[in-house]
Amino acid sequence: MVPKVVVIGIDGCTFNLLNPLMNSGRLSTFERIIREGCKGYMESCIPVSSIPAWQCYSTGREPSKLGFYGFFKAFIEENKVKVRPVNSYDVEGKEIWDYLGEFRYKSCVIDMPGTYPARKIRGVMLSNPMIGDNWVYPTSLKESIKQLGYRDPVPHEKGTKRYFEDLMEVIWSRFEAARYLLRKEKPDFLHLTIFYIEVVHHNAWGNRNLLLNFYEMIDSGIGKILEIAESMNEDVTIIVMSDHGHTELKDIFYINEFLRIKGYLKVKSLLLPRIMHKIGLNAKLLQHIAGKLGVLSAARRVIPNRMRELIPDERGHLPGPREITERINVRESHAFSIDGMQVYLLRKDDDLREILIKELKDVKHPIAGDRVMEVYRKEEAYSEYDENTPDILINPNEGYWISRDVRMDKRLWSYLDTPSDRKWLGTHSRNGIFIAYGRHIKRSSLDVRIYDFAPTVLHMFNIPIPNDMDGRVLKDIFKDDSEYAKRPLAHARSEKPKIKKKIAKLKADGKV
């Protein structure tokens, strides 16, 4: 009887958006599964970021047990801050599909952030082709999946009609892949992430008609998956969830500029990016030229990452965390942030940390008067931590975003003086969505945490739940006469020793 569980993750989805859109009468699948199933708010992790949130979902563990706190993994070597993108081998813990594979269940995982390179599982893993060539496991499926239109977005001008049309095509290709794999592979577990809707949230928040068009497509896609899954197994359970929520953006606070002004962070100017910015050469222009010449894909393969990371954007800033790592003066600095929502101290000093926490807590928007962020010591944010855990964790308050950029102009706010220059209209919020639907699910409401999904899925497959998972089994979502409600919880010993041994082997093999 397959498949048994289908999880559809809608990146950044929130009931604050979904409920008004359902009033249109055009989201019939959402209306049905909410009406006949269980729904509630889903509390995300700290920090509120797609990575590590998706891995918190797939492992049932806090970021401190995963070993990363954003899209980049940071470490300090030889008086230099180094970073690299998080990859699928960085997860310090098994994911849902790893446990299922050990019990000979088959899984299909589609487009979840952090799954590149696609690694070997019992089943199929599709990652993001934008990052590199190793996005399909097994590789024998690559051509079949590409023929379904599975690709990365074309670099159109953000916010244009063609830009959103292209995103719609990309999102629909993920549903095509899910339907294809359901029929071909007949998995016991399928996970599909609709990641690029997050890009739409950021760039079109408040545009009700556009958002409704996207969600009508998503509604149709979920409906088709549900139809296939139910025809294959009447016991199938559908879970629709998000990694976090979304809300209207009020303003962006530049935390590294704040640290620079306060004297905690010393940065240096880099000659090559400064010259390129002065003569008008930037990443956007070069990408446009390469696209026009039809050599964009080739350029991504041929040009070394190190060189690309020194090409500035239109503002003269380096891409991603290179804005910090290439410019930070480690010997003269005390603190820095890689992804905006965590602060590392270069020298462990409890008194310094307490002063900095107070200063960050006291930050208010100069016009609205709002406090901008919640600030946590690492021992407050997590049940476990070590020397590599950020010393300070940050959760932006509703409507605010924390940026890592260093402006070098003593401006701490993005939109205070130039609201017309907004590059984002929406930003993350901590509460996402949770919907469960199926023959075993009772009509009810229940608020959950992102850590609860992995233990709940394992329980449904009658797999013992490791004691070091931070989530709980959501037995309250099941009907009283369901086998899932009646089944006693089974626990297993912590996987931590095995995990550490596996990580050591991966490092020895050069895979990490």
Side-chain angles (χ1 to χ4, degrees), residues 253-295:
F253 177 73
Y254 294 96
I255 190 168
N256 278 315
E257 183 69 359
F258 174 86
L259 295 174
R260 190 184 73 83
I261 292 170
K262 291 285 185 178
Y264 299 116
L265 176 63
K266 300 291 184 182
V267 297
K268 53 195 175 185
S269 180
L270 296 178
L271 181 61
L272 179 59
R274 194 168 71 241
I275 292 174
M276 292 183 72
H277 177 60
K278 193 167 185 178
I279 64 176
L281 280 179
N282 56 62
K284 181 179 178 181
L285 176 62
L286 294 176
Q287 187 180 58
H288 176 74
I289 293 172
K292 287 287 188 181
L293 296 175
V295 296

